[in-house]
Amino acid sequence: MTTLLTASAPLVQPFLQHAVLAGTAIAAASGLVGHFLVLRAQIFTADALSHVTLTGAMGALAFGYDLRIGLFVSTVGIALLFGTLGRKARPDDVVIGSVFSWVLGLGAFFITLYTTSRSTTNGHAGVSVLFGSIFGLSAGNATLAALVAAGICLLMLLIARPLLFATLDEAVAAARGVPVRTLGFGFLALTGICAAEATQAVGSLLLLGLLAAPAGAAARLTDRPYAALALSALLAVLEMWAGLAASCAISQVPPSFAIMTAATAVYAATLLVRRPVAATRLRPRTGPTGIRGRTAR
């Protein structure tokens, strides 16, 4: 009985309860968004947003605003900008890469501006943005983060079917009346919001891993889109829990590092899994003339 009480003691700590509440919702949202980032080959977009989070947060602090305002405005704005510039001929990687260096330099400028011209009562803000501060969330911040992440999950589930159609065959989806362009912008906006939320859990430096690793592992385990979508969210949540538990058990291990270690380990394990090749549904058949071909329906 004493052992059970000792083992469950960390669960009564408010900071861990807040971390579990926010982390679970953020991980689920990241898994859902990450699945479509992998499916649409837009992982590099998430990589760019991981740098934008630092610039946006520090820019907001430098001008006297809450860093969360900078997070959301910068990530959503840049995500929509990428959608506007990059979907004409699909030069997404070129567009993103061209602004990478400038975004990083702007972030460094805002850090300098904040530390030299503002009161440094929040002197660890830059470190928190870079590496996350999930154990430092207050009850209000954790609840807000969970509600925002839950909203992302709900919206992703609502648009999952048409977004999947538009992802797999954009031309046919447009011909069928699916608002492909609007869906693309909506998805990018949700990606920006999710990136801003996930920064609180793992930081901007490790943000890409939370969006990509669970989705990549799910894609290797199943080729069924909806099963992969659910599996991606489930893996992200389990990896979040495993990271938080490891960080509580070993106080020297930062939670963001532990979370990403779990995510990386799961993805590495999927590399050892070999899926059987699915049988082709339309097999060549021999017709009356002896010529092999598909039977017409």
Side-chain angles (χ1 to χ4, degrees):
M1 187 63 160
T2 304
T3 304
L4 290 175
L5 290 174
T6 303
S8 62
L11 297 178
V12 302
Q13 298 295 329
F15 78 91
L16 183 57
Q17 294 175 357
H18 302 159
V20 171
L21 173 63
T24 300
I26 290 172
S30 299
L32 295 178
V33 171
H35 169 72
F36 281 101
L37 286 175
V38 170
L39 205 59
R40 293 167 67 86
Q42 290 182 317
I43 284 296
F44 198 32
T45 301
D47 189 18
L49 291 179
S50 68
H51 295 77
V52 171
T53 54
L54 173 65
T55 303
M58 297 312 300
L61 288 176
F63 291 101
Y65 296 100
D66 190 295
L67 65 84
R68 287 172 295 183
I69 296 176
L71 280 175
F72 285 103
V73 171
S74 62
T75 53
V76 174
I78 293 297
L80 293 177
L81 177 62
F82 288 158
T84 301
L85 300 178
R87 302 305 294 180
K88 296 177 182 178
R90 291 189 178 272
D92 296 3
D93 292 353
V94 176
V95 173
I96 295 170
S98 65
V99 299
F100 244 160
S101 299
W102 180 77
V103 168
L104 287 174
L106 189 60
F109 169 72
F110 284 146
I111 290 176
T112 303
L113 185 63
Y114 173 64
T115 55
T116 56
S117 63
R118 293 281 172 181
S119 173
T120 56
T121 54
N122 191 15
H124 299 290
V127 176
S128 298
V129 173
L130 285 172
F131 301 104
S133 57
I134 194 168
F135 280 161
L137 294 177
S138 65
N141 289 340
T143 302
L144 179 60
L147 290 175
V148 172
I152 296 173
C153 291
L154 178 60
L155 291 174
M156 285 302 304
L157 293 177
L158 288 176
I159 68 172
R161 185 179 179 85
L163 183 60
L164 178 62
F165 190 11
T167 299
L168 297 180
D169 200 327
E170 184 174 326
V172 175
R176 293 286 184 86
V178 176
V180 173
R181 187 172 179 82
T182 302
L183 273 176
F185 278 112
F187 171 67
L188 286 173
L190 288 176
T191 300
I193 297 172
C194 187
E197 282 296 308
T199 300
Q200 300 179 72
V202 296
S204 62
L205 291 181
L206 302 179
L207 167 63
L208 177 61
L210 188 60
L211 288 169
R220 294 191 61 84
L221 294 175
T222 178
D223 55 3
R224 299 170 57 189
Y226 293 117
L229 180 65
L231 184 59
S232 177
L234 177 62
L235 288 176
V237 170
L238 294 178
E239 290 158 3
M240 175 67 68
W241 290 350
L244 293 177
S247 185
C248 282
I250 308 174
S251 58
Q252 293 83 359
V253 176
S256 55
F257 170 78
I259 294 166
M260 288 317 307
T261 298
T264 303
V266 171
Y267 182 77
T270 63
L271 298 178
L272 305 177
V273 177
R274 294 184 178 181
R275 290 184 295 165
V277 179
T280 305
R281 292 185 178 180
L282 291 176
R283 295 183 178 180
R285 298 182 181 180
T286 304
T289 61
I291 300 175
R292 295 172 63 84
R294 290 189 177 94
T295 302
R297 295 184 178 179

